[in-house]
Amino acid sequence: MKLFQHRHICLFSIFLFAGITVFAQQPVLKKPVVKKPIASLYTVKTFENGIKLKIKGFKVKGAYLLFDDDTKVPANNTVEINQRVNMLIVLDNGFVAENGMKYPGASEKIVLSNGYKVLETGDLFTAYDSTGVKPEDANYIILKAVITQLENKKNHVIVSFRVWDKKGPDEITGSYKLFIK
């Protein structure tokens, strides 16, 4: 009988030892994964006259609304019917040079505040697709808008645009509003 008791004690000791081993293990602690924020490829800036630009790659010095005589559009963006507005973007750098020339692309869309689409252009610079433009000229992008008729002057005009590099990945998208007197 003592032999049986002895074996029982030995088996109990093995289980106890195995139990201690199992419980003695430290639980695996997983460190929380901290995700680093991905830097946005775009910079968003607002300039005079509420010109909003979303910029990828280009270095923009400024953006302005000017009349044909180079006077600034008033801060409230109120213009006359048939008064042309020139939106000028001045770049510090941008566009990939190829054979000493740069290749800008640009398009424009004009929509009334009620959603009616007045104009949507294709690429405004297709005339330069084969020749390109001088690097110093590519630093001054001018897009023009003129409202020739508006039945309900309570509607304002939203001019949106896109400027891009035909030889590289950089682009600018943006918009501004015009109000008609």
Short mmCIF file of all heavy atoms in Angstrom, two decimals, residues 95-161:
data_model
loop_
_atom_site.label_atom_id
_atom_site.label_comp_id
_atom_site.label_asym_id
_atom_site.label_seq_id
_atom_site.Cartn_x
_atom_site.Cartn_y
_atom_site.Cartn_z
N PHE A 95 7.67 72.04 -62.39
CA PHE A 95 7.73 71.49 -63.73
C PHE A 95 9.10 70.86 -64.00
O PHE A 95 10.14 71.45 -63.74
CB PHE A 95 7.44 72.53 -64.82
CG PHE A 95 6.06 73.12 -64.75
CD1 PHE A 95 5.87 74.40 -64.29
CD2 PHE A 95 4.96 72.37 -65.13
CE1 PHE A 95 4.61 74.95 -64.22
CE2 PHE A 95 3.69 72.91 -65.06
CZ PHE A 95 3.52 74.20 -64.61
N VAL A 96 9.06 69.68 -64.54
CA VAL A 96 10.26 68.98 -64.93
C VAL A 96 10.74 69.58 -66.25
O VAL A 96 9.95 69.75 -67.18
CB VAL A 96 9.97 67.46 -65.11
CG1 VAL A 96 11.16 66.74 -65.71
CG2 VAL A 96 9.56 66.84 -63.79
N ALA A 97 12.01 69.94 -66.33
CA ALA A 97 12.57 70.48 -67.56
C ALA A 97 13.01 69.34 -68.46
O ALA A 97 13.62 68.38 -68.00
CB ALA A 97 13.74 71.41 -67.26
N GLU A 98 12.68 69.45 -69.72
CA GLU A 98 13.12 68.47 -70.71
C GLU A 98 13.65 69.25 -71.90
O GLU A 98 12.92 70.06 -72.49
CB GLU A 98 11.93 67.59 -71.12
CG GLU A 98 12.32 66.42 -71.97
CD GLU A 98 11.14 65.50 -72.23
OE1 GLU A 98 10.85 64.68 -71.34
OE2 GLU A 98 10.53 65.61 -73.30
N ASN A 99 14.91 69.03 -72.21
CA ASN A 99 15.58 69.78 -73.28
C ASN A 99 15.49 71.29 -73.05
O ASN A 99 15.28 72.06 -73.99
CB ASN A 99 15.01 69.41 -74.66
CG ASN A 99 15.23 67.95 -75.00
OD1 ASN A 99 16.29 67.39 -74.70
ND2 ASN A 99 14.24 67.33 -75.61
N GLY A 100 15.58 71.69 -71.80
CA GLY A 100 15.56 73.11 -71.45
C GLY A 100 14.19 73.76 -71.47
O GLY A 100 14.08 74.97 -71.26
N MET A 101 13.15 73.00 -71.70
CA MET A 101 11.79 73.55 -71.75
C MET A 101 10.91 72.85 -70.71
O MET A 101 11.22 71.75 -70.25
CB MET A 101 11.19 73.35 -73.15
CG MET A 101 12.03 73.98 -74.26
SD MET A 101 12.26 75.75 -74.09
CE MET A 101 10.79 76.33 -74.86
N LYS A 102 9.81 73.53 -70.35
CA LYS A 102 8.86 72.97 -69.39
C LYS A 102 7.49 72.84 -70.06
O LYS A 102 7.18 73.58 -70.99
CB LYS A 102 8.80 73.84 -68.14
CG LYS A 102 10.15 73.82 -67.40
CD LYS A 102 10.09 74.53 -66.08
CE LYS A 102 11.42 74.38 -65.35
NZ LYS A 102 11.37 74.95 -64.01
N TYR A 103 6.69 71.90 -69.54
CA TYR A 103 5.45 71.53 -70.20
C TYR A 103 4.25 71.59 -69.24
O TYR A 103 3.86 70.60 -68.67
CB TYR A 103 5.59 70.12 -70.80
CG TYR A 103 6.64 70.07 -71.88
CD1 TYR A 103 7.99 69.93 -71.55
CD2 TYR A 103 6.30 70.21 -73.20
CE1 TYR A 103 8.97 69.91 -72.54
CE2 TYR A 103 7.27 70.19 -74.20
CZ TYR A 103 8.59 70.05 -73.85
OH TYR A 103 9.55 70.05 -74.84
N PRO A 104 3.66 72.78 -69.10
CA PRO A 104 2.51 72.90 -68.22
C PRO A 104 1.22 72.45 -68.90
O PRO A 104 1.08 72.51 -70.13
CB PRO A 104 2.45 74.41 -67.92
CG PRO A 104 3.04 75.05 -69.13
CD PRO A 104 4.09 74.07 -69.63
N GLY A 105 0.29 72.03 -68.08
CA GLY A 105 -1.07 71.75 -68.52
C GLY A 105 -2.00 72.48 -67.58
O GLY A 105 -1.66 72.74 -66.43
N ALA A 106 -3.17 72.88 -68.07
CA ALA A 106 -4.14 73.56 -67.21
C ALA A 106 -5.54 73.39 -67.80
O ALA A 106 -5.71 73.35 -69.02
CB ALA A 106 -3.80 75.04 -67.08
N SER A 107 -6.52 73.30 -66.92
CA SER A 107 -7.92 73.26 -67.33
C SER A 107 -8.72 74.09 -66.33
O SER A 107 -8.24 74.40 -65.23
CB SER A 107 -8.43 71.83 -67.39
OG SER A 107 -8.38 71.23 -66.11
N GLU A 108 -9.93 74.44 -66.74
CA GLU A 108 -10.76 75.32 -65.92
C GLU A 108 -12.22 74.90 -66.05
O GLU A 108 -12.65 74.43 -67.11
CB GLU A 108 -10.56 76.75 -66.44
CG GLU A 108 -11.07 77.84 -65.56
CD GLU A 108 -10.61 79.21 -66.04
OE1 GLU A 108 -10.56 79.45 -67.27
OE2 GLU A 108 -10.30 80.04 -65.18
N LYS A 109 -12.95 75.09 -64.97
CA LYS A 109 -14.39 74.80 -64.96
C LYS A 109 -15.08 75.95 -64.23
O LYS A 109 -14.62 76.38 -63.17
CB LYS A 109 -14.66 73.47 -64.27
CG LYS A 109 -16.13 73.09 -64.26
CD LYS A 109 -16.36 71.65 -63.86
CE LYS A 109 -16.25 71.45 -62.39
NZ LYS A 109 -16.67 70.11 -61.95
N ILE A 110 -16.19 76.43 -64.81
CA ILE A 110 -16.96 77.50 -64.20
C ILE A 110 -18.38 76.99 -63.97
O ILE A 110 -19.04 76.51 -64.91
CB ILE A 110 -16.98 78.76 -65.09
CG1 ILE A 110 -15.55 79.26 -65.30
CG2 ILE A 110 -17.86 79.85 -64.47
CD1 ILE A 110 -15.43 80.43 -66.28
N VAL A 111 -18.82 77.07 -62.72
CA VAL A 111 -20.13 76.56 -62.32
C VAL A 111 -20.84 77.64 -61.51
O VAL A 111 -20.20 78.31 -60.69
CB VAL A 111 -19.98 75.27 -61.47
CG1 VAL A 111 -21.31 74.75 -60.99
CG2 VAL A 111 -19.24 74.20 -62.25
N LEU A 112 -22.14 77.80 -61.73
CA LEU A 112 -22.92 78.72 -60.90
C LEU A 112 -23.21 78.07 -59.55
O LEU A 112 -23.19 76.84 -59.42
CB LEU A 112 -24.24 79.08 -61.59
CG LEU A 112 -24.15 79.80 -62.92
CD1 LEU A 112 -25.55 80.09 -63.47
CD2 LEU A 112 -23.35 81.08 -62.79
N SER A 113 -23.49 78.89 -58.55
CA SER A 113 -23.75 78.37 -57.21
C SER A 113 -24.97 77.45 -57.17
O SER A 113 -25.11 76.65 -56.25
CB SER A 113 -23.91 79.51 -56.21
OG SER A 113 -24.95 80.38 -56.61
N ASN A 114 -25.85 77.53 -58.17
CA ASN A 114 -27.01 76.62 -58.21
C ASN A 114 -26.66 75.29 -58.89
O ASN A 114 -27.52 74.45 -59.09
CB ASN A 114 -28.20 77.30 -58.92
CG ASN A 114 -27.95 77.58 -60.39
OD1 ASN A 114 -26.94 77.18 -60.96
ND2 ASN A 114 -28.87 78.30 -61.01
N GLY A 115 -25.38 75.11 -59.27
CA GLY A 115 -24.93 73.86 -59.85
C GLY A 115 -24.87 73.84 -61.37
O GLY A 115 -24.35 72.89 -61.96
N TYR A 116 -25.37 74.88 -62.04
CA TYR A 116 -25.36 74.92 -63.49
C TYR A 116 -23.93 75.11 -64.01
O TYR A 116 -23.25 76.05 -63.64
CB TYR A 116 -26.26 76.06 -64.00
CG TYR A 116 -26.27 76.18 -65.50
CD1 TYR A 116 -27.01 75.30 -66.28
CD2 TYR A 116 -25.53 77.18 -66.13
CE1 TYR A 116 -27.01 75.40 -67.66
CE2 TYR A 116 -25.52 77.28 -67.51
CZ TYR A 116 -26.27 76.40 -68.27
OH TYR A 116 -26.25 76.50 -69.64
N LYS A 117 -23.49 74.18 -64.87
CA LYS A 117 -22.14 74.25 -65.43
C LYS A 117 -22.13 75.22 -66.61
O LYS A 117 -22.83 75.02 -67.60
CB LYS A 117 -21.66 72.88 -65.88
CG LYS A 117 -20.19 72.88 -66.29
CD LYS A 117 -19.70 71.59 -66.93
CE LYS A 117 -20.10 70.35 -66.25
NZ LYS A 117 -19.60 69.12 -66.91
N VAL A 118 -21.33 76.27 -66.49
CA VAL A 118 -21.21 77.28 -67.52
C VAL A 118 -20.15 76.88 -68.54
O VAL A 118 -20.33 77.04 -69.75
CB VAL A 118 -20.87 78.66 -66.90
CG1 VAL A 118 -20.66 79.71 -67.98
CG2 VAL A 118 -21.94 79.09 -65.92
N LEU A 119 -19.02 76.37 -68.07
CA LEU A 119 -17.89 76.07 -68.94
C LEU A 119 -17.03 74.99 -68.32
O LEU A 119 -16.85 74.96 -67.10
CB LEU A 119 -17.03 77.34 -69.10
CG LEU A 119 -15.69 77.20 -69.81
CD1 LEU A 119 -15.90 77.08 -71.32
CD2 LEU A 119 -14.80 78.38 -69.50
N GLU A 120 -16.51 74.12 -69.16
CA GLU A 120 -15.49 73.16 -68.73
C GLU A 120 -14.54 72.98 -69.91
O GLU A 120 -14.95 72.56 -70.98
CB GLU A 120 -16.11 71.82 -68.31
CG GLU A 120 -15.07 70.88 -67.73
CD GLU A 120 -15.69 69.69 -67.02
OE1 GLU A 120 -16.92 69.50 -67.09
OE2 GLU A 120 -14.93 68.95 -66.39
N THR A 121 -13.29 73.32 -69.69
CA THR A 121 -12.31 73.26 -70.76
C THR A 121 -11.51 71.96 -70.68
O THR A 121 -11.46 71.32 -69.64
CB THR A 121 -11.30 74.42 -70.68
OG1 THR A 121 -10.43 74.21 -69.56
CG2 THR A 121 -12.00 75.76 -70.57
N GLY A 122 -10.87 71.66 -71.77
CA GLY A 122 -9.84 70.64 -71.77
C GLY A 122 -8.54 71.33 -71.41
O GLY A 122 -8.54 72.42 -70.82
N ASP A 123 -7.44 70.77 -71.83
CA ASP A 123 -6.13 71.36 -71.56
C ASP A 123 -6.00 72.68 -72.33
O ASP A 123 -6.11 72.71 -73.56
CB ASP A 123 -5.03 70.39 -71.95
CG ASP A 123 -3.64 70.92 -71.67
OD1 ASP A 123 -3.49 71.96 -71.02
OD2 ASP A 123 -2.68 70.26 -72.12
N LEU A 124 -5.76 73.75 -71.61
CA LEU A 124 -5.63 75.08 -72.22
C LEU A 124 -4.25 75.31 -72.84
O LEU A 124 -4.07 76.28 -73.58
CB LEU A 124 -5.90 76.15 -71.17
CG LEU A 124 -7.33 76.14 -70.59
CD1 LEU A 124 -7.41 77.02 -69.35
CD2 LEU A 124 -8.32 76.59 -71.64
N PHE A 125 -3.28 74.45 -72.54
CA PHE A 125 -1.92 74.65 -73.03
C PHE A 125 -1.50 73.60 -74.06
O PHE A 125 -0.31 73.33 -74.23
CB PHE A 125 -0.93 74.66 -71.86
CG PHE A 125 -1.13 75.81 -70.91
CD1 PHE A 125 -1.05 75.61 -69.55
CD2 PHE A 125 -1.38 77.09 -71.37
CE1 PHE A 125 -1.22 76.67 -68.66
CE2 PHE A 125 -1.55 78.16 -70.49
CZ PHE A 125 -1.46 77.94 -69.13
N THR A 126 -2.44 73.04 -74.79
CA THR A 126 -2.08 72.02 -75.79
C THR A 126 -1.21 72.59 -76.90
O THR A 126 -0.46 71.84 -77.53
CB THR A 126 -3.32 71.35 -76.41
OG1 THR A 126 -4.15 72.37 -76.98
CG2 THR A 126 -4.10 70.55 -75.39
N ALA A 127 -1.29 73.89 -77.14
CA ALA A 127 -0.46 74.51 -78.19
C ALA A 127 1.02 74.37 -77.90
O ALA A 127 1.85 74.48 -78.80
CB ALA A 127 -0.82 75.99 -78.33
N TYR A 128 1.37 74.09 -76.64
CA TYR A 128 2.78 73.97 -76.25
C TYR A 128 3.22 72.53 -76.00
O TYR A 128 4.31 72.29 -75.50
CB TYR A 128 3.04 74.81 -74.98
CG TYR A 128 2.65 76.25 -75.17
CD1 TYR A 128 1.46 76.74 -74.64
CD2 TYR A 128 3.44 77.12 -75.89
CE1 TYR A 128 1.09 78.06 -74.82
CE2 TYR A 128 3.08 78.45 -76.09
CZ TYR A 128 1.89 78.90 -75.55
OH TYR A 128 1.53 80.21 -75.74
N ASP A 129 2.38 71.58 -76.37
CA ASP A 129 2.70 70.17 -76.13
C ASP A 129 4.00 69.74 -76.81
O ASP A 129 4.78 68.98 -76.23
CB ASP A 129 1.57 69.25 -76.60
CG ASP A 129 0.42 69.19 -75.60
OD1 ASP A 129 0.52 69.79 -74.51
OD2 ASP A 129 -0.60 68.54 -75.94
N SER A 130 4.26 70.20 -78.01
CA SER A 130 5.45 69.76 -78.72
C SER A 130 6.66 70.67 -78.48
O SER A 130 7.79 70.21 -78.53
CB SER A 130 5.17 69.64 -80.22
OG SER A 130 4.78 70.89 -80.74
N THR A 131 6.41 71.95 -78.19
CA THR A 131 7.53 72.88 -78.03
C THR A 131 7.88 73.17 -76.58
O THR A 131 9.03 73.49 -76.28
CB THR A 131 7.19 74.23 -78.69
OG1 THR A 131 6.03 74.79 -78.04
CG2 THR A 131 6.93 74.07 -80.17
N GLY A 132 6.91 73.08 -75.69
CA GLY A 132 7.14 73.48 -74.30
C GLY A 132 7.21 74.99 -74.19
O GLY A 132 7.02 75.72 -75.17
N VAL A 133 7.48 75.48 -72.98
CA VAL A 133 7.63 76.92 -72.74
C VAL A 133 8.96 77.14 -72.02
O VAL A 133 9.51 76.23 -71.41
CB VAL A 133 6.46 77.50 -71.91
CG1 VAL A 133 5.15 77.34 -72.64
CG2 VAL A 133 6.38 76.88 -70.53
N LYS A 134 9.44 78.37 -72.09
CA LYS A 134 10.69 78.71 -71.40
C LYS A 134 10.48 78.52 -69.89
O LYS A 134 9.40 78.80 -69.38
CB LYS A 134 11.08 80.15 -71.69
CG LYS A 134 11.45 80.40 -73.12
CD LYS A 134 11.77 81.86 -73.33
CE LYS A 134 12.04 82.13 -74.80
NZ LYS A 134 12.26 83.57 -75.05
N PRO A 135 11.51 78.06 -69.19
CA PRO A 135 11.37 77.82 -67.75
C PRO A 135 10.87 79.05 -66.97
O PRO A 135 10.05 78.92 -66.08
CB PRO A 135 12.78 77.42 -67.32
CG PRO A 135 13.37 76.81 -68.54
CD PRO A 135 12.80 77.60 -69.70
N GLU A 136 11.35 80.24 -67.33
CA GLU A 136 10.93 81.44 -66.60
C GLU A 136 9.45 81.76 -66.87
O GLU A 136 8.75 82.29 -66.01
CB GLU A 136 11.81 82.65 -66.93
CG GLU A 136 11.91 83.02 -68.39
CD GLU A 136 13.00 82.29 -69.18
OE1 GLU A 136 13.56 81.29 -68.70
OE2 GLU A 136 13.27 82.75 -70.31
N ASP A 137 8.95 81.42 -68.06
CA ASP A 137 7.54 81.65 -68.37
C ASP A 137 6.64 80.66 -67.63
O ASP A 137 5.50 80.99 -67.29
CB ASP A 137 7.30 81.54 -69.88
CG ASP A 137 7.96 82.66 -70.66
OD1 ASP A 137 8.26 83.72 -70.05
OD2 ASP A 137 8.17 82.49 -71.88
N ALA A 138 7.13 79.46 -67.38
CA ALA A 138 6.33 78.44 -66.69
C ALA A 138 6.07 78.82 -65.23
O ALA A 138 5.19 78.24 -64.59
CB ALA A 138 7.03 77.09 -66.77
N ASN A 139 6.81 79.79 -64.69
CA ASN A 139 6.61 80.21 -63.30
C ASN A 139 5.41 81.14 -63.14
O ASN A 139 5.08 81.51 -62.01
CB ASN A 139 7.86 80.89 -62.76
CG ASN A 139 8.97 79.89 -62.52
OD1 ASN A 139 8.72 78.71 -62.30
ND2 ASN A 139 10.20 80.35 -62.57
N TYR A 140 4.77 81.53 -64.23
CA TYR A 140 3.62 82.44 -64.18
C TYR A 140 2.47 81.81 -64.97
O TYR A 140 2.43 81.87 -66.19
CB TYR A 140 3.99 83.80 -64.77
CG TYR A 140 5.12 84.46 -64.04
CD1 TYR A 140 6.44 84.28 -64.46
CD2 TYR A 140 4.89 85.23 -62.90
CE1 TYR A 140 7.49 84.86 -63.76
CE2 TYR A 140 5.94 85.81 -62.20
CZ TYR A 140 7.23 85.62 -62.64
OH TYR A 140 8.27 86.19 -61.95
N ILE A 141 1.54 81.22 -64.25
CA ILE A 141 0.39 80.58 -64.86
C ILE A 141 -0.79 81.54 -64.74
O ILE A 141 -1.16 81.96 -63.63
CB ILE A 141 0.04 79.25 -64.17
CG1 ILE A 141 1.25 78.30 -64.18
CG2 ILE A 141 -1.19 78.61 -64.78
CD1 ILE A 141 1.69 77.85 -65.55
N ILE A 142 -1.40 81.90 -65.87
CA ILE A 142 -2.55 82.80 -65.87
C ILE A 142 -3.73 82.08 -66.49
O ILE A 142 -3.65 81.58 -67.62
CB ILE A 142 -2.26 84.10 -66.66
CG1 ILE A 142 -1.08 84.84 -66.04
CG2 ILE A 142 -3.50 84.98 -66.70
CD1 ILE A 142 -0.60 86.03 -66.86
N LEU A 143 -4.83 82.02 -65.74
CA LEU A 143 -6.07 81.44 -66.24
C LEU A 143 -7.14 82.54 -66.19
O LEU A 143 -7.28 83.23 -65.17
CB LEU A 143 -6.48 80.24 -65.39
CG LEU A 143 -5.47 79.10 -65.34
CD1 LEU A 143 -5.95 78.00 -64.40
CD2 LEU A 143 -5.24 78.53 -66.73
N LYS A 144 -7.89 82.67 -67.27
CA LYS A 144 -8.84 83.78 -67.40
C LYS A 144 -10.27 83.29 -67.29
O LYS A 144 -10.60 82.19 -67.75
CB LYS A 144 -8.63 84.48 -68.74
CG LYS A 144 -7.22 85.02 -68.87
CD LYS A 144 -6.97 85.62 -70.22
CE LYS A 144 -5.51 86.09 -70.27
NZ LYS A 144 -5.28 87.15 -71.16
N ALA A 145 -11.11 84.15 -66.70
CA ALA A 145 -12.54 83.86 -66.62
C ALA A 145 -13.30 85.16 -66.86
O ALA A 145 -12.90 86.22 -66.39
CB ALA A 145 -12.90 83.30 -65.24
N VAL A 146 -14.39 85.05 -67.60
CA VAL A 146 -15.26 86.21 -67.83
C VAL A 146 -16.70 85.70 -67.88
O VAL A 146 -16.98 84.68 -68.51
CB VAL A 146 -14.87 86.97 -69.11
CG1 VAL A 146 -14.98 86.12 -70.35
CG2 VAL A 146 -15.67 88.24 -69.26
N ILE A 147 -17.56 86.39 -67.19
CA ILE A 147 -18.98 86.05 -67.20
C ILE A 147 -19.66 87.06 -68.13
O ILE A 147 -19.63 88.27 -67.87
CB ILE A 147 -19.59 86.10 -65.78
CG1 ILE A 147 -18.82 85.16 -64.85
CG2 ILE A 147 -21.08 85.76 -65.82
CD1 ILE A 147 -18.78 83.72 -65.28
N THR A 148 -20.24 86.57 -69.21
CA THR A 148 -20.83 87.46 -70.21
C THR A 148 -22.33 87.66 -70.00
O THR A 148 -22.91 88.59 -70.55
CB THR A 148 -20.60 86.90 -71.63
OG1 THR A 148 -21.16 85.59 -71.69
CG2 THR A 148 -19.12 86.86 -71.96
N GLN A 149 -22.93 86.80 -69.20
CA GLN A 149 -24.38 86.88 -69.01
C GLN A 149 -24.74 86.11 -67.74
O GLN A 149 -24.19 85.03 -67.49
CB GLN A 149 -25.07 86.26 -70.22
CG GLN A 149 -26.55 86.23 -70.17
CD GLN A 149 -27.12 85.59 -71.44
OE1 GLN A 149 -26.56 85.74 -72.52
NE2 GLN A 149 -28.20 84.87 -71.29
N LEU A 150 -25.65 86.68 -66.95
CA LEU A 150 -26.12 85.99 -65.75
C LEU A 150 -27.51 86.50 -65.45
O LEU A 150 -27.70 87.68 -65.14
CB LEU A 150 -25.17 86.25 -64.57
CG LEU A 150 -25.44 85.49 -63.29
CD1 LEU A 150 -25.30 83.98 -63.51
CD2 LEU A 150 -24.48 85.92 -62.19
N GLU A 151 -28.49 85.62 -65.58
CA GLU A 151 -29.88 86.03 -65.39
C GLU A 151 -30.18 86.36 -63.93
O GLU A 151 -30.82 87.35 -63.64
CB GLU A 151 -30.82 84.94 -65.89
CG GLU A 151 -30.80 84.81 -67.40
CD GLU A 151 -31.68 83.69 -67.91
OE1 GLU A 151 -32.59 83.25 -67.19
OE2 GLU A 151 -31.45 83.26 -69.05
N ASN A 152 -29.74 85.52 -63.01
CA ASN A 152 -30.02 85.72 -61.60
C ASN A 152 -28.71 86.07 -60.89
O ASN A 152 -27.89 85.19 -60.61
CB ASN A 152 -30.64 84.47 -60.99
CG ASN A 152 -31.04 84.64 -59.54
OD1 ASN A 152 -30.77 85.67 -58.92
ND2 ASN A 152 -31.70 83.63 -59.00
N LYS A 153 -28.52 87.33 -60.58
CA LYS A 153 -27.26 87.78 -59.98
C LYS A 153 -27.11 87.36 -58.52
O LYS A 153 -26.10 87.62 -57.91
CB LYS A 153 -27.12 89.30 -60.13
CG LYS A 153 -26.93 89.70 -61.58
CD LYS A 153 -26.67 91.17 -61.72
CE LYS A 153 -26.51 91.52 -63.19
NZ LYS A 153 -26.27 92.93 -63.40
N LYS A 154 -28.13 86.70 -57.98
CA LYS A 154 -27.99 86.13 -56.63
C LYS A 154 -27.06 84.92 -56.66
O LYS A 154 -26.49 84.54 -55.65
CB LYS A 154 -29.36 85.73 -56.07
CG LYS A 154 -30.24 86.91 -55.74
CD LYS A 154 -31.55 86.46 -55.16
CE LYS A 154 -32.42 87.67 -54.88
NZ LYS A 154 -33.73 87.29 -54.33
N ASN A 155 -26.93 84.33 -57.83
CA ASN A 155 -26.00 83.20 -57.99
C ASN A 155 -24.58 83.74 -58.06
O ASN A 155 -24.32 84.70 -58.78
CB ASN A 155 -26.28 82.43 -59.29
CG ASN A 155 -27.50 81.56 -59.20
OD1 ASN A 155 -27.74 80.92 -58.19
ND2 ASN A 155 -28.28 81.54 -60.27
N HIS A 156 -23.69 83.14 -57.30
CA HIS A 156 -22.29 83.48 -57.49
C HIS A 156 -21.67 82.43 -58.42
O HIS A 156 -22.29 81.42 -58.75
CB HIS A 156 -21.54 83.60 -56.16
CG HIS A 156 -21.49 82.36 -55.35
ND1 HIS A 156 -22.46 82.01 -54.45
CD2 HIS A 156 -20.57 81.35 -55.31
CE1 HIS A 156 -22.16 80.86 -53.88
NE2 HIS A 156 -21.02 80.44 -54.39
N VAL A 157 -20.46 82.70 -58.85
CA VAL A 157 -19.77 81.85 -59.81
C VAL A 157 -18.60 81.18 -59.09
O VAL A 157 -17.85 81.84 -58.36
CB VAL A 157 -19.25 82.71 -60.99
CG1 VAL A 157 -18.47 81.86 -61.96
CG2 VAL A 157 -20.41 83.40 -61.67
N ILE A 158 -18.45 79.90 -59.30
CA ILE A 158 -17.32 79.15 -58.72
C ILE A 158 -16.41 78.76 -59.87
O ILE A 158 -16.82 78.04 -60.79
CB ILE A 158 -17.79 77.91 -57.96
CG1 ILE A 158 -18.78 78.30 -56.86
CG2 ILE A 158 -16.60 77.14 -57.39
CD1 ILE A 158 -19.64 77.16 -56.36
N VAL A 159 -15.19 79.26 -59.83
CA VAL A 159 -14.20 78.93 -60.85
C VAL A 159 -13.23 77.93 -60.23
O VAL A 159 -12.58 78.23 -59.23
CB VAL A 159 -13.44 80.19 -61.33
CG1 VAL A 159 -12.42 79.81 -62.40
CG2 VAL A 159 -14.40 81.25 -61.83
N SER A 160 -13.17 76.76 -60.80
CA SER A 160 -12.20 75.76 -60.31
C SER A 160 -11.24 75.44 -61.46
O SER A 160 -11.56 75.62 -62.63
CB SER A 160 -12.90 74.50 -59.81
OG SER A 160 -13.72 73.94 -60.80
N PHE A 161 -10.06 74.99 -61.09
CA PHE A 161 -9.01 74.80 -62.08
C PHE A 161 -8.04 73.73 -61.63
O PHE A 161 -8.00 73.35 -60.46
CB PHE A 161 -8.26 76.12 -62.34
CG PHE A 161 -7.78 76.76 -61.07
CD1 PHE A 161 -6.56 76.43 -60.51
CD2 PHE A 161 -8.60 77.67 -60.41
CE1 PHE A 161 -6.15 77.01 -59.33
CE2 PHE A 161 -8.18 78.25 -59.21
CZ PHE A 161 -6.96 77.92 -58.68
#
